[in-house]
Amino acid sequence: MRVRSSRTLAPRCAIALVALSLIAAGCAADDGGSVSGVTSALGSTSDINPKDPAELRDGGNLRLPTTAFPANWNTLSIDGNDGEIADIERPLMPRAFHTNAAGELTINKDYFTDVQLTSTEPQVVTYTINPKAVWSDGNPITWEDIAAQAKALDGTDKRYLIAITVGFDRVAKVERGVDDRQAVITFKQPFTEWRGQFAGNMSLFPKSVTADPETFNKGLVDNMGPTAGPFLVQSTDRGQGRIVLGRNPNWWGDKPKLDTITYSVLDSTAWVQAVQNNELDAALLRTLDDVTTLRRSSDVAIRRAPGNRWRHITFNGAPGSILADPALRVAISKAIDRQGIANAVQNGLVEQPKPLNSHVFLEGQAGYRDNSLGFDPAAAAKELDALGWKLNGDTREKDGRKLEIRDVMYKDDVWVQIAQIIQQNLAQIGVKLVIDTKPGAGYFTDVIIPGNFDAAQFIFVGDAFPFSSIPQTYGFHPGDWQNNFGQIGSPELNDLIDRTLSELDPKKAIELANEVDRKVFEEGHSLPLTQSEGNWGVRADIANFGSPGLASYDYTKIGFVK
């Protein structure tokens, strides 16, 4: 599932489709401090300093950064569908599968003793819940929790402000199985990524959160609700920007090695310095300067595995927007030098900087193809002329309106650098780009979701399931936009998306997904920029944590080496 993030660097895919290869990320330093050497493949590696838990000491506090306090702890909601919130909640909430570096799935036995596709005509999936699994309020996890979440996310009750349907719009019913600890999901339409409905970036919430629209939308705005993980929320301080997770005393699985995980709200530009000053234990490294700085710290290791996050620019095509015309969006897209952006922001961080050329697959996934329209500023200028946008001085005009585009982004040096390159590109064809930086707090709630932009830059964060997020991001459903913040699409694209999600043959599904991707480019919906380098600076004595690639963490095994 794809979640968005303004600050940190989520396509989803059925297990049969995760045959992943080729993205460059380096390892060893040369004299210039660059990250170079080995080329790793997305889907083949993670770099987390793996250790047997017996080699770790009991206790300790893992100190991690986040750039803003959660706007809504409900990650199923449109306000809470943020990558950083999802990261905080991973040690707290149930998921049906573990994922390894290759994207291969195994059942998470802490929560489910069995998850099976028990019929194909109609499609039926049966979840058998671990009888020990309980919420932090003492209530058992039952089929009713699954049923309530399925109903909330099916899209029929518009009072639920959901971020994604994740195939629940294809569910006919959820029934009690042999007892309260078994849920039987019957589909009315085939759904290729049924394994991802409670996995990857999608966790299970209790029915106390999902059964009522008001609670779903607003009940977790100020505080987290019942959880069911090896950790729980021990304390929060919005004023101090501090979230502390502590061991769950009622946890039925393996005892965590850590005592606590502390998240501190800190601007991303200060993360590396905080690690260097021993105020944080890990930070995402976004620039070559970041890598060079932490390489000088003897107690910090550079962990790197190709990342599953990607930068992009979303256009606003809503009625009345200056970019409402798809032909105008396409022309502008052709004038943006994405290779130049990759060279500028990834030089020294990967062996061969290159743009990402797909909205659906990351480079390295079996279905990845270059479906982009290409960089062609001369063609872009001709198309603008044909659309009636004529040069008047340095800026084009049409019907007395200047072709000025306001590009909003989280206030971050790299984002601004990208915007400046785009600004220079567009100036060459008579388009003025205004750079408008915003704080991290309220970025989506106050800016992106209301559509207060002409173009917007942020990051999508993914897992091993790229298909489920296609309708959420590229589907055209007026009044239920989910992650389609630019309100761009068509009934024809909806039909193609539906065919893709209904196709259970992996090869055919890949072909259809690439048709979707090409159509998204042709609508000028958005423009992929670069894929994450996946470099992290992590305290050297921390084990089973770092740069995971597609793998999921086992939070009971993260800790400090003896």
Side-chain angles (χ1 to χ4, degrees):
M1 183 189 78
R2 180 176 297 127
V3 297
R4 83 278 155 135
S5 175
S6 60
R7 289 88 60 179
T8 64
L9 286 184
R12 304 170 58 118
C13 146
I15 187 64
L17 301 181
V18 185
L20 309 172
S21 53
L22 297 180
I23 172 176
C27 64
D30 60 20
D31 291 340
S34 66
V35 180
S36 60
V38 175
T39 298
S40 300
L42 181 68
S44 69
T45 186
S46 61
D47 188 359
I48 61 171
N49 190 24
K51 300 288 183 182
D52 188 288
E55 301 178 55
L56 309 183
R57 62 182 173 90
D58 288 325
N61 176 38
L62 178 64
R63 301 166 299 171
L64 301 175
T66 187
T67 53
F69 207 86
N72 190 328
W73 292 80
N74 181 5
T75 55
L76 308 177
S77 73
I78 190 68
D79 288 338
N81 183 39
D82 183 280
E84 289 193 317
I85 303 173
D87 286 345
I88 294 170
E89 294 184 11
R90 283 186 180 274
L92 310 177
M93 304 303 290
R95 285 177 173 80
F97 293 96
H98 293 297
T99 310
N100 68 11
E104 297 166 341
L105 306 181
T106 55
I107 296 172
N108 187 340
K109 294 298 183 72
D110 284 329
Y111 300 108
F112 298 96
T113 59
D114 194 30
V115 181
Q116 290 289 335
L117 179 66
T118 49
S119 173
T120 56
E121 294 183 3
Q123 184 176 358
V124 178
V125 178
T126 301
Y127 288 83
T128 303
I129 301 165
N130 186 332
K132 297 179 180 179
V134 295
W135 298 107
S136 56
D137 61 5
N139 288 316
I141 298 177
T142 74
W143 75 276
E144 292 180 321
D145 297 304
I146 291 175
Q149 185 155 318
K151 182 62 178 174
L153 299 183
D154 70 8
T156 59
D157 189 339
K158 302 306 181 185
R159 295 177 298 169
Y160 284 95
L161 303 181
I162 64 173
I164 183 172
T165 59
V166 69
F168 287 114
D169 55 334
R170 295 166 175 261
V171 169
K173 58 184 176 180
V174 180
E175 299 175 293
R176 182 180 185 269
V178 295
D179 57 25
D180 284 349
R181 296 288 193 158
Q182 189 175 78
V184 180
I185 301 178
T186 302
F187 290 79
K188 57 188 176 184
Q189 285 180 274
F191 181 53
T192 186
E193 284 195 338
W194 58 268
R195 293 176 183 86
Q197 290 188 307
F198 300 103
N201 286 315
M202 178 66 68
S203 57
L204 175 64
F205 277 74
K207 63 181 180 181
S208 60
V209 172
T210 57
D212 171 72
E214 182 66 21
T215 304
F216 181 95
N217 297 335
K218 300 297 182 183
L220 303 189
V221 167
D222 295 321
N223 298 290
M224 186 60 179
T227 59
F231 290 84
L232 46 68
V233 178
Q234 181 173 296
S235 65
T236 61
D237 188 326
R238 187 177 292 269
Q240 293 294 321
R242 192 68 50 83
I243 299 166
V244 180
L245 311 182
R247 288 177 180 172
N248 178 359
N250 297 320
W251 173 244
W252 55 93
D254 292 339
K255 181 181 178 181
K257 303 303 293 187
L258 294 169
D259 286 325
T260 53
I261 303 172
T262 299
Y263 284 89
S264 297
V265 175
L266 189 65
D267 190 280
S268 61
T269 58
W271 289 7
V272 168
Q273 189 66 46
V275 173
Q276 190 177 40
N277 293 341
N278 197 23
E279 297 164 349
L280 291 175
D281 292 317
L284 180 69
L285 308 180
R286 300 167 301 116
T287 68
L288 186 56
D289 285 344
D290 289 346
V291 174
T292 303
T293 296
L294 288 190
R295 275 226 169 91
R296 299 186 182 124
S297 299
S298 59
D299 64 339
V300 176
I302 306 302
R303 307 282 179 214
R304 57 89 197 97
N308 60 340
R309 305 163 183 236
W310 50 280
R311 297 178 181 271
H312 82 290
I313 184 166
T314 278
F315 299 115
N316 189 346
S321 168
I322 193 168
L323 298 180
D325 182 355
L328 176 57
R329 298 193 299 269
V330 167
I332 287 172
S333 296
K334 291 179 181 179
I336 295 174
D337 184 3
R338 297 181 305 119
Q339 181 63 58
I341 291 171
N343 292 342
V345 302
Q346 294 190 325
N347 184 43
L349 293 175
V350 299
E351 290 182 333
Q352 296 178 330
K354 62 186 70 174
L356 182 67
N357 292 312
S358 173
H359 293 88
V360 178
F361 299 102
L362 292 169
E363 184 174 2
Q365 289 183 305
Y368 180 81
R369 295 176 190 165
D370 183 351
N371 294 309
S372 66
L373 303 180
F375 173 54
D376 193 343
K382 290 180 181 178
E383 290 170 17
L384 291 176
D385 285 336
L387 291 171
W389 290 98
K390 303 297 184 180
L391 272 175
N392 184 0
D394 293 332
T395 306
R396 293 178 181 268
E397 291 184 359
K398 181 179 180 180
D399 300 329
R401 188 179 191 183
K402 289 185 177 295
L403 189 48
E404 295 184 358
I405 299 169
R406 188 167 56 90
D407 182 13
V408 306
M409 69 215 69
Y410 172 68
K411 189 175 183 180
D412 172 273
D413 290 345
V414 177
W415 278 128
V416 172
Q417 181 185 13
I418 290 171
Q420 289 171 340
I421 295 171
I422 297 173
Q423 188 180 57
Q424 294 167 5
N425 293 158
L426 296 185
Q428 298 300 310
I429 61 166
V431 179
K432 182 177 181 180
L433 187 83
V434 177
I435 299 172
D436 187 0
T437 60
K438 303 291 183 183
Y443 182 75
F444 285 99
T445 304
D446 301 333
V447 180
I448 303 302
I449 294 172
N452 186 18
F453 63 92
D454 298 319
Q457 297 177 193
F458 53 95
I459 288 166
F460 279 128
V461 187
D463 51 28
F465 305 93
F467 284 9
S468 297
S469 55
I470 294 175
Q472 127 193 52
T473 309
Y474 309 117
F476 186 73
H477 302 289
D480 183 23
W481 293 110
Q482 297 184 44
N483 263 9
N484 189 347
F485 302 114
Q487 301 184 21
I488 296 168
S490 66
E492 294 78 16
L493 180 56
N494 286 356
D495 290 342
L496 186 55
I497 290 170
D498 183 73
R499 288 170 55 205
T500 303
L501 295 186
S502 298
E503 180 54 68
L504 297 182
D505 182 296
K507 291 183 179 179
K508 292 180 181 178
I510 284 176
E511 294 301 319
L512 288 168
N514 275 288
E515 290 184 35
V516 169
D517 183 38
R518 181 67 181 185
K519 183 68 174 174
V520 171
F521 273 111
E522 290 172 349
E523 289 184 344
H525 178 282
S526 51
L527 204 57
L529 298 176
T530 58
Q531 189 166 327
S532 166
E533 306 85 21
N535 298 316
W536 280 77
V538 184
R539 200 72 54 198
D541 62 345
I542 295 174
N544 302 318
F545 183 85
S547 187
L550 286 176
S552 54
Y553 287 125
D554 184 340
Y555 283 87
T556 68
K557 293 179 172 57
I558 297 171
F560 294 86
V561 178
K562 291 179 180 178

